[in-house]
Amino acid sequence: MITCLIIDDEPFARDELAAQLAEADDIEIVGQCSNAIEAMQAISRLKPQLIFLDIQMPRITGMELIAMLDPATMPRVVFVTAYDQFAVQAFDRHAFDYLLKPVDEQRLQRTLEKVRRDLHPQAIGELAPSQLEHLPCYSGQRLKVVPVQEVEYVYSDLGGVHVATAKEKVHTHMTLKVMEEKTPLVRCHRQYLVTPGAIAEIELLDTGGEIITRSGARVPVSRRYLKPLKQIFGFH
């Protein structure tokens, strides 16, 4: 069975596609999501082999969602779009496949055949934005979109990955690796990233150092990351 996830902010569009996919005996729909934050959680939890992804969604678009995923574990992505044919041709050069709304049954079948034949991840790096502007986060039952410019630092522990702003701490399903590559955050410790603009002081210690952020939080700096961190501010 090929496990798939449908991501679209339009309930009718999700249900319509799900009904079409239900005709395929080897396709298992493991979930439906109405926004990118739900999708991040579902992809992390369910690990689908295939996702059908709407491009135009509120707050975080389908393109931005792709940039938030780890390329090493990227599912096959089929964009579902209302774009005209000229725009779609651009996507077709990089994405695994695309479908135009309303989804044509024969076109869907050709897509599924491509999925069945494919054994390799698609190259979509050129499609994804090089930098993220928002992080999909959650706190309890609340889903939150945190602007990257508000983040002071992020860190990982046994409880997961945590995002700290001057006002609160929330959680995310994104990895430190992806955030290091896709945001201005820089590595200061094996388990910590920090926003350079949030640094008020760096206290030098025998073990490396400790950052004091503008909100007064303290972030560890390991010895191996101290020198490149100091160089950001012109210290040698």
Side-chain angles (χ1 to χ4, degrees):
M1 295 291 285
I2 298 172
T3 56
C4 79
L5 187 68
I6 300 173
I7 307 164
D8 196 313
D9 62 313
E10 300 176 9
F12 176 78
R14 294 198 306 270
D15 293 343
E16 185 71 19
L17 182 56
Q20 291 175 290
L21 291 171
E23 300 295 321
D25 294 335
D26 60 343
I27 301 294
E28 179 187 1
I29 301 171
V30 295
Q32 296 186 26
C33 302
S34 61
N35 58 62
I37 299 180
E38 290 179 4
M40 283 290 295
Q41 294 175 313
I43 291 170
S44 176
R45 184 178 73 254
L46 301 172
K47 296 178 173 54
Q49 297 165 287
L50 170 67
I51 61 175
F52 290 91
L53 177 60
D54 184 24
I55 291 175
Q56 293 177 299
M57 295 189 295
R59 299 300 296 273
I60 298 177
T61 68
M63 296 295 186
E64 291 173 316
L65 171 60
I66 291 303
M68 295 172 180
L69 300 177
D70 188 341
T73 57
M74 180 84 72
R76 293 165 180 80
V77 179
V78 175
F79 286 110
V80 183
T81 175
Y83 279 42
D84 64 30
Q85 184 64 34
F86 296 104
V88 167
Q89 287 173 356
F91 298 137
D92 194 40
R93 286 197 294 269
H94 306 297
F96 181 77
D97 206 352
Y98 71 88
L99 294 170
L100 276 175
K101 293 180 179 181
V103 176
D104 177 76
E105 181 64 34
Q106 292 185 341
R107 182 67 178 83
L108 175 60
Q109 292 307 315
R110 291 200 298 272
T111 294
L112 294 180
E113 284 301 319
K114 286 179 66 175
V115 172
R116 293 180 180 111
R117 291 193 303 266
D118 184 71
L119 297 176
H120 306 287
Q122 70 277 27
I124 61 175
E126 297 176 50
L127 245 174
S130 59
Q131 291 289 296
L132 302 177
E133 296 182 0
H134 305 88
L135 301 182
C137 301
Y138 63 95
S139 178
Q141 298 299 311
R142 293 183 298 128
L143 303 179
K144 304 199 70 176
V145 178
V146 177
V148 170
Q149 63 186 15
E150 294 183 7
V151 177
E152 284 201 335
Y153 63 96
V154 299
Y155 66 99
S156 65
D157 58 19
L158 293 177
V161 179
H162 314 278
V163 176
T165 70
K167 298 178 180 179
E168 63 180 344
K169 287 184 183 178
V170 290
H171 315 286
T172 183
H173 287 288
M174 292 183 66
T175 64
L176 293 184
K177 176 183 175 184
V178 169
M179 286 187 281
E180 184 177 14
E181 294 173 350
K182 299 284 188 176
T183 74
L185 290 154
V186 298
R187 182 80 60 169
C188 62
H189 185 277
R190 185 172 59 87
Q191 294 176 274
Y192 283 80
L193 303 176
V194 66
T195 299
I199 298 174
E201 298 179 41
I202 301 176
E203 183 179 350
L204 303 180
L205 305 171
D206 292 340
T207 56
E210 190 172 56
I211 290 167
I212 296 91
T213 71
R214 298 197 179 280
S215 70
R218 291 182 173 269
V219 178
V221 181
S222 57
R223 190 173 295 158
R224 66 175 294 191
Y225 295 111
L226 181 58
K227 183 177 179 180
L229 190 62
K230 288 165 61 180
Q231 289 175 339
I232 291 176
F233 300 99
F235 297 108
H236 300 285

